Every structure is written in C-alpha cells, then in structure tokens.
Amino acid sequence: MSNQNLVPYSTYDNKYGYKDDNGEIIIPPVYDDAYEFSEGLALVRSGSFYGYINESNTMIIPFKFIK
C-alpha cells in the first residue's frame, strides 16, 4: 500500500481521477465516477459497471458489477 493520500476529483466534463495532497494528478480522469480509497482499493465506475482499482490505477476487480 502506498503512503499517498489520493482523493477523487472531477473535470468539467464529469470524468473522475485522483490527485494527491499536493494537487498533483496521480490517476488521470478517465472514470465516470470514483470513490475514496479504503485499504488500498477504490470503487470506480465506467458506464453502468463498477470495479476496483489500486493506487497504481491497476484494475484489481474488473468492471462487472452494477450498483
């Protein structure tokens, strides 16, 4: 697990990514929704489907869940 504190942010076109405490973009805004990290994973949405990424933006649980 990383020492970074990543927080979701959105762009003017409603795409979501993650920034660190300094405001630096760590994960580019490519998701339709994004939630806070917990235990190294974050829930993200693409279209109607949800999955989980880690702090390196690696898909850990693929987009297959509908919330």
Side-chain angles (χ1 to χ4, degrees), residues 10-31:
S10 66
T11 61
Y12 67 91
D13 60 351
N14 291 321
K15 291 293 184 181
Y16 290 81
Y18 292 86
K19 291 183 179 181
D20 66 11
D21 289 334
N22 297 320
E24 182 180 341
I25 295 171
I26 303 300
I27 298 175
V30 296
Y31 299 107

Side-chain angles (χ1 to χ4, degrees), residues 5-10 16-19 33-37 42-43:
N5 182 32
L6 301 182
V7 293
Y9 76 97
S10 66
Y16 290 81
Y18 292 86
K19 291 183 179 181
D33 205 353
Y35 296 84
E36 296 284 334
F37 276 90
L43 180 66

